[in-house]
Amino acid sequence: MVEHGEIRVVHRGGSKINFRQPVFTHDSRFLLCVSGDGVRVFSASTEECVHHLLGHTDLVTGLVLRPSNHLQVFSCSVDGTVRLWDYSDGILIKTFTIGFPIYSIHACGSHDGFLFLTIPAKNDKGSEIFQLVAVHLPQSGEQLVDAQELSAVLSDVSANPGAISFGGAGQYIASVNGLQLEVFFFKKQKSYRFSLKDNKKKGTKSTFMCVTCHPKDDCIATGHEDGQIRLWRNFDHKKEYTYSTVHWHHAAVGALCFTPEGTNLLSGGVESVLVQWRYNQETERDFLPRLGAAITHIAVSPDGSLFSTSHSDNKITIIHSYVKVSAVIQGLVKSDRCRTDLRVDPRSKALVLNGKPGHLQFYSLQRDKLLYNLDIVQQEYVHEAGLDQFDVVKADFDAGGKWLATVEERKQNAAEVEFNLKLWAFDEQTQSFVLNTTVSAPHEDLITDLSFSPDQTTLVVSTSRDGHFKAWALAAPTDAEDECPSWSCDFVGSYHGLAPQCCSFSADGSLLAVAFQEVVTVWSLASWDLLTTLSQPPGEIRNLCFGRLSCSKFLLGTTTKNQLCCWNLLTCSLEWSTSMDITLLLADPLSENMAAFCFQAGSSDLFVFKPSEPRPLFSQKAVCSGRVSRAVFVPRQELLEGSDESCQWLNHSQLHYFTPNMDLMTFTTKAEEDRLVASSKQLVIDDHVAMTPFYLLLGKPGQSEGQEVAAGSHRVQPPQGSTAIRELLQTPAHVLPSTSYLCSMFVQSLLISTTDKREQTNVTEEEMESEKEEADSEDEETPSASARRDQASGEVRSEDQPNPGLTKAQSKELRRLRKLDYSWLRGLAD
Amino acid sequence: MSSFRATKIPVYPKLGEKVTQDTLYWKDFKTPIQIKEFGAVTNLDFSPVAPHNFAVTAFTRIHIYGPFSQEPVKTFTKFKDNAYCGRFRSDGQLLVAGCEDSVVRLFDVGGKVALRMFKGHTKAVHVTDFTSDQYQILTGSDDYTCRLWDIPNSTELLSYKEHTDYVRCGIASKLNGNLFLTGSYDHTLKLFDTRIEKSVLSMDHGQPVESLLLYPSEGLVVSAGGRHVKVWDLLKAGQPLVSLKHHHKTVTSLCLSSNGQRLLSGSLDRHIKVYNTTTYKVVHNFDYAASILSLALAPNDESIVVGMTNGILSIKQRKCPEDSKKDIGQQRRRPSSSGFVKGKNYVPKQDDYLISKPVKEHLAKYDKQLKKFNVSKALDTALETFLRTRKPEITVAVIKELDRRGKLKNALAGRDEQGLSRLLSFLIGHLVDQRFAPVLVTAADMILDIYHSTIGQSPVIDRQLLRLQDLVEREIDYQQDLLEVLGMLDTMFACSLPKKEVPSPGINGQNGQARGETSSVPPQIQAL
């Protein structure tokens, strides 16, 4: 999509991290999860993102650790490649080109060199039938490898990776699809199919949802749509198979997982409760309720100490094995549709939109991190499908970020609509918003628009389908006893009984424009008089927007009949109009520019223009497919230096928008990208320390770790064998000399001698030696001591010096000390 | 993770007057003591010296009551006819009173017989007062004159004949012995200076003046007459300052609270209004059983004494501060737990490591059931007698919450006769309450849906259903009437305001509700 010189559309954060099951690394320190076109490596303890593995050109659909090397991970993508990464360094090692879109990936220790991939049965993206194929990965040193050796294993499988599981240490593979469980034995090359019947009469829906195999026993657990879990045994016979059923979930089982030892079975679903079943004692269960949203995936770390649950609100919860939440990794919450417009919190500069049900989320664009969720509805959310609950539909901030107005509504049926207008005050002490006023049923019909006055007077205008618009003002407390002011209705306006659609304040807060179907009415805020009406039939007004700064005399509006009109408020006449199907019109708060998203031929185009100039500043065709209905100008933290004329509109603020399938996109210039790349290069991170701001501050800079590929193997062992230590440890504490006296001796015993040439092969050790030499130079007593000194390190200890220890002088000294001490003790005993 | 959120109980604005500091202050009195006098109590006066006895002028006598006694400590009966305006001198030693027989009598508070009799008026004397130099008496009479008398010689010093009607009220200045003020039925107030022969100021009240009151600073004067209470600025030559019209009938008496911040006015409409003297807004209101003729406040507002036309004297005494303290003490003592708790009094030392225990949040009974998804039990607990009768908003909130969860039908179903009748009696009590109607109408609909097959099995339930039907029918009629009124009002508004839009959200709210109820009715009638 690189067009128009330097400006390009980039995906900006907020990608899904709950799309596929996350993978714990072997040491349980990191959690890998797919995230849009990349893979993210999170620290399991600090929740920070350590690496972002980028390289795929399409959605990443699966992750699996390489069975033969636990420091490497395979990822597969719809772009038809499998990539091998070193996740600890964040390096792409190899790319295998398969040639088909891949929907899931599996690997097993007993099938080394093979990967199992789910690809469409026919080679087109629209196909609904998938097959499982085994791919042999050719051994080659090249970066880019073609792996075309595909052999089909199972046909007609589900695209969901949770529907396929390896069991019996790779002896068989279980796959579920629809009402059928299929078990394929690799040795016999034979598969068994077990079908269930949908009992419509009882209302039970026994469609398989997920499958998992016991790691030790021959047992397969399957989760079903009606909430039952079946444990299958004896499935290597066509007829004599058995299964037992356990039932706790009231809705479909979303995910199933055995712990590595097979003692427990974990399950989760819409109820957002993690259930831990004891294997073979299924009546005993542990629960972890209130996880926040429906569980979609469960993963267990290889040592069984940590669980992770992925949730439908783009969240990963890391849970200790004693069923306690230890960390939460929260991405941008994506509800099925964003009902509030995008807003920018003037204080934190965070993007504000619908979050969890009934919440507003504050999402920091700079850090690509969710700051917090603000509970608007303040009601218990019942995790049940098909239940209509309160949700936030409108939100707006005042200019200083001191007040927040929200509208929540619940549509039980067409006749009964409940909605509330809430006003929130920012509390400096708690640094969050506190509910100030609740207006229940502020209008008689749904609120269509809500807008804060831009100047310092606190005034909110709400327009409603009942034909009125109301202005709400902050009223001083009526009595001295009321400690805080509250909001009340200040003015109710209407125009010929028409329903107002939208409203807009002028930049200086002196005028209010309210669109009543085809007519725009302009009201004076000082006297609440109707000043003038503007109209450009046919077509109802869809969007209204005042110009800013030098263009503040213009009022722009879009109509349903594909017109963009610009009125001059000084002459009260139409300045210009053009025919365009504009879905969204918004003004940059810091400049005169306006952005219009225009729907044309199935995709949206962007135009950036000044109301006073006829020629657009910038236009880009096909920004995304479908209609763009949510976008916002986010003011920049620091002004971008003006470069090209076409990019100048991005200097003050950045334009973010949501595509119809809820991806957050933005426009960047080349200069900005270069700066980002430069800044990211500074952050070279040590492999096994989680990157925290504290680490960046104090971590040692500039050590080239590149050669130390297999980390851990060269770590210096504690010198248990050395005599000095033994002597220190064996001598009773009360007869030891003072610690300061022993310290220098002890430190010397840990140093490694420089003269031992046999050991000097490793680069890293050389570095250590050089440090030690500096220490040796201080050691004036024994100039030749280094020759006789042994290495304290257990690894570099040589074989021919069976009794290594201290230098003679040192041991003599130590002995003298001991003698001295004993005599003192003896004297005491006498 | 996120904890259970309790059911939201909506707070409805309290109907009636708002509780302010003033209402608290003026309500802080004991139940009134009522004493029956022989006739209408025309005047009340507190002695300026402790123990602040007060003189009650009623019929042909003057009673003097002590601050705590319910029997008069002294009675003056030597009047031939109705006595008027018994007033104490500023030292509390002497008492003067007028009489219907035109004689003014001066009494020693300790004695019984009149010390002096001032004769000279030709008609009833309704006004008497001591001047501030304590040696002269001011009187006003129905013979249109007001006179000044010398006490030692019992001689008439001065006579003013400026009023053209009965003089019914008057007051001597407390700061200047030469000034006094009279009010008359000729609608005027006149300020006299004894050093000159005629009045210095005349103010037109507009109605016959019934009562007069000077502010402690004596810069302002308050007059009552007709339904009006007016305040005049004497320093600006009698310029009217405020006119208050809050009573329905003639205002008969005026009184200032001890700190001068509040003005009280009593009227024949049986009310006492309390005004703020800075804003002149009514801050409190007292109701009495009969028309009020006289009103007095004890120093420090210790008691309010009111005399009425039916001869009842009502004395309200302020509650002692000790009493209220005792109440608080009892309340505090209650929640203390019996039994010894180990380490309760332990004070952590400096190097102690504190481990905070997670605070266990308290949930109401119905919330506990809701948390466990026990919908029927939650409704049962919400329908307990206390909640049902005292806090119906909680019951309604629980019903609403169940409806939101889509479980209201489950909760309502499966009830026996007793449970259902409890539910129905709650519905009958609150169905037409406009705060609860939207929720309860759906609940009523569901109940009829669920139980319509069992109609006829229980006489109790049938009776209640009939009552419910009756209630709904009456409500529909009522709403229809209201709609008609609304229509009439709309036409009137449309006539009077030809241009302006009239937004009337409040009335329309009722309108919408009426529609909602009407739609819910047919199934009920069919079910019955």
Side-chain angles (χ1 to χ4, degrees):
Chain A
M1 272 195 253
V2 186
E3 282 174 56
H4 209 288
E6 291 186 319
I7 295 179
R8 81 189 196 100
V9 179
V10 292
H11 201 90
R12 182 64 181 272
S15 50
K16 265 184 161 179
I17 55 172
N18 64 347
F19 179 60
R20 287 290 191 249
Q21 178 173 328
V23 175
F24 275 102
T25 60
H26 209 62
D27 53 1
S28 307
R29 275 212 314 240
F30 299 110
L31 187 72
L32 311 170
C33 62
V34 305
S35 147
D37 294 355
V39 177
R40 279 180 191 270
V41 184
F42 289 103
S43 163
S45 49
T46 64
E47 312 166 18
E48 289 287 329
C49 177
V50 184
H51 285 295
H52 194 184
L53 312 178
L54 287 170
H56 282 291
T57 54
D58 208 337
L59 195 66
V60 180
T61 50
L63 271 180
V64 66
L65 284 183
R66 186 175 186 175
S68 55
N69 186 349
H70 293 303
L71 297 168
Q72 295 177 350
V73 67
F74 286 110
S75 68
C76 68
S77 160
V78 183
D79 65 3
T81 59
V82 172
R83 287 174 198 245
L84 180 65
W85 309 84
D86 183 327
Y87 63 80
S88 49
D89 291 332
I91 303 169
L92 175 66
I93 299 172
K94 268 181 192 173
T95 305
F96 302 96
T97 314
I98 308 295
F100 300 98
I102 308 162
Y103 289 94
S104 70
I105 186 166
H106 304 270
C108 187
S110 57
H111 302 276
D112 200 16
F114 280 95
L115 281 179
F116 296 88
L117 309 171
T118 310
I119 58 170
K122 289 169 209 151
N123 188 13
D124 60 313
K125 266 198 170 181
S127 164
E128 288 294 312
I129 305 159
F130 299 93
Q131 57 178 348
L132 186 73
V133 295
V135 181
H136 179 70
L137 298 179
Q139 298 284 339
S140 103
E142 289 169 44
Q143 273 267 309
L144 207 65
V145 188
D146 258 358
Q148 306 284 19
E149 244 181 273
L150 305 181
S151 56
V153 180
L154 291 172
S155 59
D156 194 14
V157 297
S158 163
N160 179 8
I164 292 170
S165 175
F166 282 89
Q171 284 174 16
Y172 58 87
I173 184 167
S175 152
V176 293
N177 194 15
L179 284 166
Q180 186 168 281
L181 166 69
E182 187 171 2
V183 184
F184 179 79
F185 287 88
F186 287 103
K187 252 190 202 146
K188 297 190 217 164
Q189 288 288 315
K190 194 173 174 191
S191 73
Y192 296 93
R193 286 161 192 253
F194 311 99
S195 293
L196 290 173
K197 269 186 192 148
D198 229 352
N199 196 339
K200 290 242 172 61
K201 218 179 267 172
K202 278 187 189 167
T204 55
K205 286 176 268 179
S206 25
T207 313
F208 286 97
M209 300 299 290
C210 48
V211 64
T212 183
C213 297
H214 194 278
K216 304 267 164 71
D217 276 3
D218 277 347
C219 173
I220 297 173
T222 56
H224 298 266
E225 202 181 340
D226 54 357
Q228 294 192 334
I229 297 171
R230 287 188 169 83
L231 295 162
W232 301 74
R233 292 189 177 80
N234 220 6
F235 40 77
D236 48 354
H237 302 279
K238 181 75 189 147
K239 293 269 156 40
E240 291 155 28
Y241 70 91
T242 58
Y243 65 77
S244 57
T245 309
V246 289
H247 198 171
W248 182 86
H249 296 275
H250 72 71
V253 182
L256 270 179
C257 193
F258 274 108
T259 54
E261 292 304 311
T263 48
N264 290 316
L265 172 66
L266 304 169
S267 69
V270 183
E271 305 87 355
S272 74
V273 180
L274 181 70
V275 188
Q276 189 175 13
W277 310 77
R278 302 259 183 291
Y279 183 62
N280 285 334
Q281 288 168 283
E282 273 80 17
T283 47
E284 283 183 36
R285 303 174 288 235
D286 286 330
F287 300 104
L288 181 62
R290 311 202 159 273
L291 287 172
I295 295 173
T296 52
H297 304 286
I298 300 174
V300 183
S301 73
D303 58 358
S305 64
L306 293 176
F307 309 146
S308 86
T309 52
S310 305
H311 298 269
S312 56
D313 61 351
N314 207 11
K315 175 174 77 179
I316 297 177
T317 312
I318 297 170
I319 299 163
H320 281 299
S321 55
Y322 46 89
V323 201
K324 197 164 179 196
V325 173
S326 80
V328 177
I329 299 166
Q330 174 82 65
L332 179 70
V333 182
K334 287 182 182 169
S335 43
D336 41 352
R337 65 201 172 114
C338 169
R339 302 183 68 187
T340 60
D341 259 337
L342 297 179
R343 300 285 176 197
V344 177
D345 178 15
R347 266 173 208 268
S348 61
K349 302 283 180 287
L351 194 67
V352 178
L353 66 156
N354 278 119
K356 289 194 280 183
H359 288 63
L360 273 186
Q361 59 178 331
F362 287 66
Y363 187 81
S364 167
L365 289 164
Q366 277 80 32
R367 294 162 58 201
D368 188 17
K369 197 174 174 186
L370 189 84
L371 298 180
Y372 62 96
N373 268 305
L374 180 68
D375 187 358
I376 300 293
V377 172
Q378 297 183 329
Q379 235 176 19
E380 176 75 357
Y381 184 77
V382 185
H383 293 283
E384 194 178 313
L387 204 60
D388 192 45
Q389 308 195 39
F390 267 114
D391 209 354
V392 189
V393 290
K394 295 273 182 286
D396 199 13
F397 288 93
D398 80 332
K402 202 172 169 296
W403 291 98
L404 164 68
T406 59
V407 176
E408 65 204 30
E409 67 179 41
R410 186 172 83 97
K411 221 184 280 181
Q412 200 170 23
N413 47 46
E416 252 179 274
V417 183
E418 287 179 70
F419 55 101
N420 298 323
L421 170 69
K422 283 183 177 172
L423 289 134
W424 305 74
F426 189 80
D427 187 7
E428 294 281 353
Q429 266 178 347
T430 57
Q431 289 290 310
S432 70
F433 285 92
V434 182
L435 184 62
N436 179 280
T437 309
T438 307
V439 186
S440 52
H443 284 273
E444 276 154 57
D445 208 340
L446 290 181
I447 289 181
T448 51
D449 201 4
L450 183 75
S451 181
F452 251 105
S453 155
D455 63 350
Q456 291 310 310
T457 59
T458 43
L459 187 78
V460 194
V461 167
S462 60
T463 61
S464 163
R465 274 197 233 152
D466 64 359
H468 297 295
F469 73 89
K470 291 190 183 179
W472 307 85
L474 188 64
T478 47
D479 281 311
E481 296 97 70
D482 289 356
E483 64 279 356
C484 59
S486 61
W487 292 74
S488 55
C489 187
D490 188 41
F491 177 72
V492 183
S494 61
Y495 184 78
H496 291 293
L498 299 172
Q501 274 304 313
C502 50
C503 62
S504 174
F505 280 98
S506 69
D508 59 350
S510 63
L511 293 178
L512 169 70
V514 184
F516 289 91
Q517 292 180 357
E518 293 178 3
V519 185
V520 181
T521 56
V522 182
W523 302 74
S524 152
L525 282 181
S527 59
W528 288 116
D529 283 334
L530 178 60
L531 297 177
T532 182
T533 57
L534 306 163
S535 165
Q536 189 64 28
E540 294 176 12
I541 307 286
R542 201 193 275 159
N543 238 318
L544 265 185
C545 211
F546 271 98
R548 310 264 157 178
L549 304 176
S550 65
C551 301
S552 55
K553 64 181 174 186
F554 295 110
L555 172 66
L556 286 97
T558 62
T559 68
T560 50
K561 290 278 190 273
N562 303 345
Q563 265 198 325
L564 171 64
C565 309
C566 177
W567 289 282
N568 189 336
L569 288 175
L570 299 178
T571 59
C572 291
S573 60
L574 189 72
E575 189 87 2
W576 51 264
S577 75
T578 166
S579 182
M580 272 174 157
D581 182 12
I582 289 179
T583 55
L584 189 67
L585 179 72
L586 67 163
D588 183 358
L590 296 179
S591 65
E592 296 99 337
N593 301 326
M594 304 201 116
F597 284 94
C598 174
F599 183 71
Q600 203 169 28
S603 62
S604 287
D605 305 339
L606 171 73
F607 294 94
V608 180
F609 59 95
K610 275 186 193 176
S612 54
E613 287 174 27
R615 201 171 56 85
L617 295 172
F618 172 81
S619 67
Q620 181 156 353
K621 295 264 177 206
V623 164
C624 73
S625 60
R627 285 167 184 269
V628 173
S629 54
R630 306 281 176 229
V632 71
F633 273 106
V634 181
R636 282 184 195 275
Q637 299 282 55
E638 49 190 300
L639 203 72
L640 203 68
E641 287 310 310
S643 45
D644 196 353
E645 195 192 342
S646 66
C647 316
Q648 264 173 4
W649 64 279
L650 282 170
N651 284 359
H652 295 281
S653 35
Q654 205 168 7
L655 181 64
H656 290 262
Y657 67 94
F658 265 110
T659 58
N661 40 3
M662 299 295 291
D663 290 317
L664 185 62
M665 311 291 255
T666 188
F667 293 88
T668 55
T669 62
K670 196 140 184 280
E672 196 188 356
E673 267 174 34
D674 289 347
R675 209 175 53 183
L676 269 179
V677 168
S679 65
S680 69
K681 268 185 186 157
Q682 292 167 0
L683 312 172
V684 180
I685 300 151
D686 191 5
D687 60 339
H688 48 258
V689 183
M691 196 190 81
T692 59
F694 182 68
Y695 174 76
L696 287 177
L697 205 68
L698 293 180
K700 47 184 175 179
Q703 279 245 349
S704 66
E705 305 278 349
Q707 292 162 13
E708 211 177 5
V709 177
S713 59
H714 289 283
R715 212 169 295 156
V716 177
Q717 296 287 313
Q720 292 129 331
S722 113
T723 44
I725 307 288
R726 217 179 301 137
E727 290 228 38
L728 271 179
L729 290 177
Q730 280 167 3
T731 317
H734 62 278
V735 297
L736 273 178
S738 73
T739 333
S740 56
Y741 187 82
L742 287 173
C743 181
S744 63
M745 231 160 37
F746 178 70
V747 169
Q748 273 169 21
S749 76
L750 292 176
L751 301 180
I752 300 158
S753 83
T754 44
T755 47
D756 211 327
K757 287 181 175 69
R758 273 167 295 184
E759 315 301 326
Q760 296 180 357
T761 47
N762 206 314
V763 187
T764 46
E765 274 177 23
E766 258 181 349
E767 283 172 9
M768 287 168 73
E769 303 286 46
S770 65
E771 283 169 19
K772 258 141 251 170
E773 271 177 338
E774 284 166 21
D776 282 354
S777 62
E778 290 163 22
D779 197 342
E780 298 297 314
E781 262 192 316
T782 54
S784 61
S786 55
R788 280 167 282 150
R789 223 192 300 159
D790 201 351
Q791 285 71 30
S793 161
E795 252 182 53
V796 293
R797 223 169 70 200
S798 58
E799 304 296 305
D800 54 348
Q801 280 179 300
N803 193 15
L806 303 166
T807 62
K808 266 175 196 162
Q810 281 173 329
S811 55
K812 212 183 282 169
E813 203 165 49
L814 203 70
R815 227 170 287 141
R816 188 170 56 83
L817 271 170
R818 282 176 68 182
K819 210 178 277 174
L820 205 151
D821 273 321
Y822 282 131
S823 67
W824 165 79
L825 195 76
R826 223 175 286 134
L828 201 103
D830 291 341
Chain B
M1 304 301 315
S2 57
S3 54
F4 180 82
R5 275 190 209 94
T7 310
K8 222 174 5 175
I9 311 294
V11 185
Y12 294 105
K14 278 221 179 74
L15 300 173
E17 58 187 284
K18 241 180 140 186
V19 177
T20 59
Q21 285 295 321
D22 277 295
T23 46
L24 291 177
Y25 183 79
W26 294 109
K27 278 204 168 152
D28 191 22
F29 287 98
K30 292 180 194 165
T31 42
I33 301 162
Q34 302 212 329
I35 300 166
K36 176 80 181 156
E37 294 289 338
F38 294 105
V41 182
T42 53
N43 195 54
L44 290 166
D45 192 37
F46 269 93
S47 162
V49 294
H52 302 301
N53 294 337
F54 57 93
V56 177
T57 315
F59 194 44
T60 57
R61 316 157 180 236
I62 295 180
H63 291 294
I64 295 181
Y65 289 89
F68 300 111
S69 68
Q70 296 184 23
E71 290 293 315
V73 294
K74 187 92 193 160
T75 308
F76 300 100
T77 53
K78 301 284 176 186
F79 294 101
K80 302 266 161 53
D81 209 334
N82 279 351
Y84 295 112
C85 201
R87 277 197 190 163
F88 283 104
R89 198 164 77 169
S90 58
D91 58 358
Q93 297 286 330
L94 296 178
L95 184 92
V96 69
C99 184
E100 189 70 40
D101 63 0
S102 79
V103 181
V104 178
R105 289 175 174 85
L106 181 74
F107 297 94
D108 181 5
V109 172
K112 231 171 177 16
V113 189
L115 294 177
R116 300 271 189 282
M117 310 247 274
F118 304 97
K119 292 176 185 166
H121 281 295
T122 54
K123 279 188 178 165
V125 180
H126 279 266
V127 181
T128 58
D129 200 4
F130 289 98
T131 59
S132 66
D133 61 7
Q134 303 193 347
Y135 303 118
Q136 291 170 356
I137 288 172
L138 138 82
T139 58
S141 162
D142 284 358
D143 61 6
Y144 310 165
T145 63
C146 38
R147 303 181 189 206
L148 206 65
W149 309 80
D150 185 41
I151 296 175
N153 306 328
S154 65
T155 52
E156 188 185 316
L157 298 176
L158 280 166
S159 175
Y160 296 100
K161 280 190 189 159
E162 292 200 17
H163 284 295
T164 55
D165 207 335
Y166 300 158
V167 180
R168 282 292 166 91
C169 54
I171 192 163
S173 158
K174 292 214 168 51
L175 302 179
N176 187 336
N178 295 321
L179 289 178
F180 67 93
L181 199 72
T182 54
S184 155
Y185 274 13
D186 63 359
H187 302 186
T188 58
L189 292 82
K190 289 191 190 285
L191 180 69
F192 295 98
D193 192 335
T194 54
R195 291 163 292 195
I196 44 176
E197 292 293 311
K198 53 177 184 136
S199 64
V200 273
L201 267 180
S202 181
M203 292 156 271
D204 188 11
H205 182 84
Q207 275 95 16
V209 184
E210 294 282 354
S211 182
L212 277 177
L213 186 73
L214 268 171
Y215 269 67
S217 66
E218 304 200 341
L220 299 178
V221 63
V222 189
S223 63
R227 291 171 60 196
H228 291 271
V229 173
K230 290 189 176 173
V231 183
W232 312 85
D233 193 347
L234 289 181
L235 302 179
K236 283 188 182 168
Q239 186 185 345
L241 204 67
V242 222
S243 174
L244 306 168
K245 191 179 164 190
H246 291 287
H247 286 284
H248 304 300
K249 288 184 181 169
T250 304
V251 184
T252 53
S253 52
L254 291 169
C255 174
L256 267 181
S257 75
S258 57
N259 58 1
Q261 297 289 306
R262 299 287 181 269
L263 174 69
L264 286 84
S265 68
S267 155
L268 292 180
D269 65 0
R270 305 182 316 204
H271 291 294
I272 292 178
K273 305 266 178 191
V274 183
Y275 309 89
N276 185 335
T277 51
T278 45
T279 60
Y280 290 103
K281 292 238 166 73
V282 176
V283 292
H284 194 66
N285 185 28
F286 293 101
D287 287 358
Y288 281 89
S291 300
I292 294 159
L293 284 181
S294 54
L295 159 74
L297 268 178
N300 276 332
D301 304 343
E302 284 300 320
S303 56
I304 304 177
V305 186
V306 170
M308 287 170 270
T309 47
N310 58 358
I312 299 267
L313 179 72
S314 156
I315 307 164
K316 275 192 194 172
Q317 268 162 354
R318 188 164 288 280
K319 282 181 189 159
C320 306
E322 294 93 61
D323 291 355
S324 53
K325 257 182 204 162
K326 217 183 277 168
D327 290 349
I328 295 167
Q330 279 170 350
Q331 279 173 354
R332 272 196 197 141
R333 216 173 300 137
R334 196 159 31 90
S336 70
S337 61
S338 59
F340 176 73
V341 181
K342 195 183 170 190
K344 197 171 67 176
N345 302 324
Y346 183 77
V347 182
K349 295 193 184 79
Q350 201 174 17
D351 48 352
D352 278 356
Y353 187 74
L354 286 172
I355 296 170
S356 57
K357 216 162 85 179
V359 185
K360 204 179 168 194
E361 59 177 332
H362 173 75
L363 285 179
K365 268 190 201 163
Y366 52 87
D367 272 336
K368 279 183 190 154
Q369 300 291 357
L370 279 175
K371 192 180 174 184
K372 291 181 195 155
F373 293 89
N374 294 337
V375 285
S376 274
K377 280 185 185 163
L379 188 58
D380 283 342
T381 46
L383 279 172
E384 273 171 11
T385 320
F386 173 74
L387 288 182
R388 195 164 34 125
T389 51
R390 293 290 176 81
K391 299 194 165 153
E393 66 266 24
I394 292 182
T395 313
V396 174
V398 171
I399 294 176
K400 193 177 178 184
E401 171 71 16
L402 290 170
D403 188 29
R404 186 178 74 85
R405 291 175 174 220
K407 294 283 183 282
L408 184 55
K409 215 159 201 165
N410 308 22
L412 291 172
R415 284 173 186 271
D416 56 0
E417 185 188 52
Q418 198 189 347
L420 186 59
S421 87
R422 210 154 50 142
L423 204 55
L424 283 174
S425 66
F426 179 76
L427 283 182
I428 290 166
H430 297 99
L431 185 65
V432 295
D433 189 334
Q434 58 102 15
R435 296 175 295 174
F436 307 139
V439 180
L440 293 184
V441 164
T442 37
D445 260 355
M446 281 187 190
I447 288 175
L448 293 175
D449 278 353
I450 297 166
Y451 294 102
H452 72 89
S453 57
T454 62
I455 285 171
Q457 290 179 11
S458 155
V460 182
I461 301 295
D462 288 355
R463 214 178 308 130
Q464 280 182 317
L465 285 175
L466 285 172
R467 273 182 65 195
L468 190 66
Q469 186 190 20
D470 185 40
L471 183 78
V472 171
E473 278 167 3
R474 259 188 292 132
E475 181 67 15
I476 292 168
D477 290 345
Y478 179 56
Q479 295 282 355
Q480 212 149 16
D481 290 349
L482 279 179
L483 279 178
E484 281 169 18
V485 173
L486 189 66
M488 287 187 255
L489 283 177
D490 274 349
T491 25
M492 276 156 69
F493 278 128
C495 294
S496 60
L497 303 163
K499 280 265 175 152
K500 284 236 169 162
E501 298 275 345
V502 190
S504 50
I507 307 165
N508 286 347
Q510 278 183 332
N511 197 349
Q513 200 182 305
R515 249 180 270 128
E517 282 190 356
T518 327
S519 67
S520 72
V521 167
Q524 289 175 356
I525 294 168
Q526 283 164 14
L528 292 168

